């Protein structure tokens, strides 16, 4: 369960950036190909946030779809599932440009 180590890093970052103030919300952007299970991440966060600046914080998860760029027609497209052919021209010459990310989008700190 690598979600634990991810949550530990997130809590450390929240502690650092909140400068000891209570955190009310942590918004996390997770790509559908990131390898992170959003519900496990949220459960881990809720379990490990006790005795931290995030103890009363809510985690908001923003899931991002898979987006590719085609090198044949130069278009960017969202894809469903795991067919990485360009939906416009059918080319296999594509690159994933979104959907693999996982990062904290923002932190809301109590004033």
């Amino acid at each position: 369960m690598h979600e634990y180590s991810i949550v530990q890093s997130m809590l450390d970052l929240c502690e650092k950036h909140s400068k000891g103030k209570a955190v009310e919300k942590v918004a996390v952007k997770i790509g559908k190909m990131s390898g992170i299970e959003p519900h496990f991440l949220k459960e881990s966060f809720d379990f490990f946030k006790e005795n931290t600046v995030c103890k009363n914080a809510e985690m908001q998860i923003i899931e991002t779809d898979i987006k590719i760029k085609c090198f044949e027609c130069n278009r960017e497209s969202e894809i469903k599932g795991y067919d990485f052919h360009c939906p416009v021209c059918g080319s296999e010459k594509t690159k994933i440009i979104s959907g693999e990310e996982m990062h904290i989008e923002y932190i809301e700190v109590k004033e």
Side-chain angles (χ1 to χ4, degrees), residues 80-105:
K80 303 294 179 208
Y82 297 98
D83 179 3
F84 299 100
H85 290 85
C86 177
V88 177
C89 72
S91 174
E92 295 177 347
K93 296 178 183 176
T94 61
K95 177 182 177 181
I96 298 169
I97 57 173
S98 178
E100 297 177 303
E101 66 274 5
M102 188 270 158
H103 63 267
I104 295 174
E105 187 74 6

Side-chain angles (χ1 to χ4, degrees), residues 3 6-7 10 25-32 34 36-46 57-65 101-106:
E3 282 81 1
I6 293 167
V7 165
M10 288 172 50
K25 183 186 233 179
V26 179
V28 181
K29 188 176 268 191
I30 301 175
K32 290 188 176 178
S34 67
I36 306 298
E37 291 293 334
H39 71 278
F40 288 141
L41 187 72
K42 186 168 179 0
E43 284 178 3
S44 296
F45 179 79
D46 289 341
E58 165 202 351
M59 175 181 275
Q60 176 188 4
I61 294 179
I62 305 161
E63 286 192 72
T64 57
D65 290 324
E101 66 274 5
M102 188 270 158
H103 63 267
I104 295 174
E105 187 74 6
Y106 63 88

Side-chain angles (χ1 to χ4, degrees), residues 4-57:
Y4 167 72
S5 59
I6 293 167
V7 165
Q8 207 52 52
S9 294
M10 288 172 50
L11 292 170
D12 290 344
L13 284 169
C14 288
E15 192 83 37
K16 178 182 175 185
H17 292 287
S18 70
K19 297 182 170 104
K21 293 182 181 177
V23 174
E24 294 182 329
K25 183 186 233 179
V26 179
V28 181
K29 188 176 268 191
I30 301 175
K32 290 188 176 178
M33 285 189 57
S34 67
I36 306 298
E37 291 293 334
H39 71 278
F40 288 141
L41 187 72
K42 186 168 179 0
E43 284 178 3
S44 296
F45 179 79
D46 289 341
F47 183 80
F48 292 109
K49 71 182 183 179
E50 295 304 316
N51 301 317
T52 72
V53 294
C54 294
K55 67 182 173 191
N56 296 316

